[in-house]
Amino acid sequence: MDSMDSIQEFQKFLYDKTLDGRRINVLALVGAGLSAPSGVIPSNIGDTDGDNVWRNYSFIDLATLDAFDSNPALVWLYYALKRHQALKAEPNEGHKVLAQLSNLNDKFNLLTISQNMDGLHHRSGHNREKLLEFHGSLFNVKCTNFMCYYSKYTLKDPLTDSLDATKYEDSENTQLPTINSLDQLPLCPECLSNGEKYLLRPGVIWFGESLPLYLIDQADEFIIENDIDLLLVIGTSHTVWPTSSYIDVIKNNGGYIAVFNIVEDSEIDKIKETSNTKVWNFIGDCSITLPKVFNSFINS
C-alpha cells in the first residue's frame, strides 16, 4: 500500500469513528522527533555536540540532584542556555496540528504524553488540561526548600542577569560567567518574603529522580476510563520507556497505532506482523507528515 493509500485509509478510519457525533479516544506519545524540525536541542543532556558532552561536562555532571547540590551555578548556566535556545525556536506545523487536535473537542478526546521539555506544546496552543509533560519543563522553576511548595511556569529570559545565555552561548569563543554568590541565581520569592534564602531549581526530571506519580496516575486513569481507539506515536520509539509500556497496553486493549517518525520502528512493525493490531507508518519529518495526514480531518 503506497503512502497516499495509507493516508486515505487512515482518514477513513477517523471519519468512520467520528460519525453521528461520536468522539475518537486518542492517546499521543511524543518524543524529541517532533521538536527536531524546530531546531530545538533534544531534551537529553549533552546533545549539542552529539557525544553527551557540553564544555567538557557530561550529562552526569549536569543533570542530577547531586550535581545541582555541589555546583548549582554550573547547572543553572546550562539550563539557562537550554531555555534560551528553546525560546529562539518556534512551534512547527506538527506541534500546531497536535494542538488543534487537543482543542477539537467535538471529534477528539485526546491526551498527550510528552517527553519533551522545550515548552513548544504550550506555545503552540495545546490544551494544557490534555498535556502531561512526563520529564518536566525547562520553563518550570520550583523551590528547593522541602517545606516550600513554590512552583512557577515562566518564559522570562534571563532569569537573572548572571544567567544571560547570550553572553556565553558561543561555547568555543566565550567563557562562562563567574558566579560567586547564590544571590546571582534564581531565589524563591516566597522563602525570601519569610526571611529565608533558598534556590529555585529547574523543574525537570533529573537522572535518578522518579517520574511524578500524579502524572502516571492521570495517564492510567485516561486509559482506564476511555476505550482508546488510537495511539499516536510521534517522534519517539518502542525502545523508549514509558512509550513501550503504553504501546503494549493499547495493543492489548484492541486499539490501533499510527507512527509518525523519520524511520520505521521495527518493534512496532512486529506488533503488526504478530497480532490483529492495525499499524500505520507515516515516515518522514513530523512537521510535514502530521499536517498532511490530519489537516483535511481537522478542517472537515
Side-chain angles (χ1 to χ4, degrees):
M1 180 179 294
D2 62 33
S3 58
M4 187 54 65
D5 286 341
S6 295
I7 291 174
Q8 291 175 348
E9 183 190 57
F10 181 70
Q11 290 174 339
K12 184 177 185 302
F13 164 76
L14 296 177
Y15 291 131
D16 289 347
K17 280 290 184 179
T18 54
L19 285 175
D20 303 322
R22 289 177 293 170
R23 294 200 302 169
I24 183 170
N25 296 318
V26 183
L27 180 68
L29 306 176
V30 178
L34 177 60
S35 291
S38 293
V40 178
I41 292 176
S43 58
N44 289 329
I45 299 301
D47 290 303
T48 52
D49 297 322
D51 57 357
N52 290 327
V53 172
W54 175 72
R55 289 179 177 255
N56 297 321
Y57 295 104
S58 74
F59 63 89
I60 295 298
D61 298 318
L62 298 165
T64 67
L65 183 57
D66 286 344
F68 186 78
D69 287 341
S70 63
N71 197 340
L74 175 65
V75 173
W76 257 123
L77 285 166
Y78 179 73
Y79 279 95
L81 174 61
K82 287 183 74 76
R83 285 168 56 92
H84 179 70
Q85 291 170 325
L87 284 172
K88 289 199 297 185
E90 293 294 334
N92 62 56
E93 294 303 314
H95 290 107
K96 294 174 185 177
V97 164
L98 195 58
Q100 287 177 293
L101 293 175
S102 76
N103 292 297
L104 200 66
N105 295 321
D106 59 331
K107 296 180 180 179
F108 252 54
N109 179 29
L110 171 73
L111 179 69
T112 296
I113 297 174
S114 181
Q115 300 162 82
N116 298 340
M117 303 184 295
D118 50 45
L120 292 180
H121 289 297
H122 291 269
R123 291 166 58 200
S124 68
H126 197 292
N127 188 324
R128 296 195 181 195
E129 294 182 357
K130 300 180 180 181
L131 174 65
L132 304 180
E133 294 174 301
F134 265 30
H135 293 174
S137 170
L138 293 170
F139 300 100
N140 285 337
V141 292
K142 59 183 182 180
C143 186
T144 54
N145 179 3
F146 289 114
M147 301 301 294
C148 177
Y149 296 98
Y150 179 83
S151 178
K152 183 178 181 180
Y153 181 87
T154 174
L155 298 178
K156 181 182 177 183
D157 181 42
L159 288 170
T160 69
D161 291 341
S162 297
L163 297 180
D164 185 352
T166 63
K167 298 177 180 178
Y168 63 91
E169 60 184 326
D170 185 348
S171 61
E172 293 183 2
N173 301 317
T174 58
Q175 292 184 338
L176 290 176
T178 299
I179 296 178
N180 297 314
S181 169
L182 293 182
D183 291 336
Q184 296 172 265
L185 298 175
L187 296 174
C188 176
E190 286 192 9
C191 289
L192 281 175
S193 67
N194 295 322
E196 299 178 304
K197 193 176 290 186
Y198 281 91
L199 284 173
L200 295 175
R201 57 159 282 183
V204 300
I205 304 301
W206 281 327
F207 293 98
E209 295 182 324
S210 300
L211 297 181
L213 184 59
Y214 75 94
L215 293 182
I216 297 174
D217 286 344
Q218 287 182 48
D220 290 344
E221 288 172 8
F222 181 80
I223 293 171
I224 292 170
E225 293 173 0
N226 300 279
D227 185 10
I228 305 300
D229 302 297
L230 177 66
L231 176 68
L232 302 178
V233 182
I234 303 171
T236 186
S237 73
H238 193 280
T239 61
V240 179
W241 191 90
T243 304
S244 56
S245 62
Y246 289 117
I247 290 174
D248 293 335
V249 167
I250 302 307
K251 176 202 72 173
N252 293 336
N253 289 340
Y256 289 176
I257 302 172
V259 180
F260 296 81
N261 216 335
I262 56 172
V263 295
E264 290 195 24
D265 189 316
S266 59
E267 291 301 315
I268 296 180
D269 283 342
K270 288 179 183 178
I271 293 175
K272 177 173 59 177
E273 296 166 0
T274 59
S275 70
N276 294 324
T277 303
K278 178 64 183 178
V279 177
W280 292 277
N281 281 301
F282 301 109
I283 305 304
D285 183 326
C286 294
S287 68
I288 297 173
T289 55
L290 281 166
K292 186 176 182 180
V293 169
F294 279 107
N295 274 351
S296 64
F297 176 76
I298 291 172
N299 296 323
S300 64

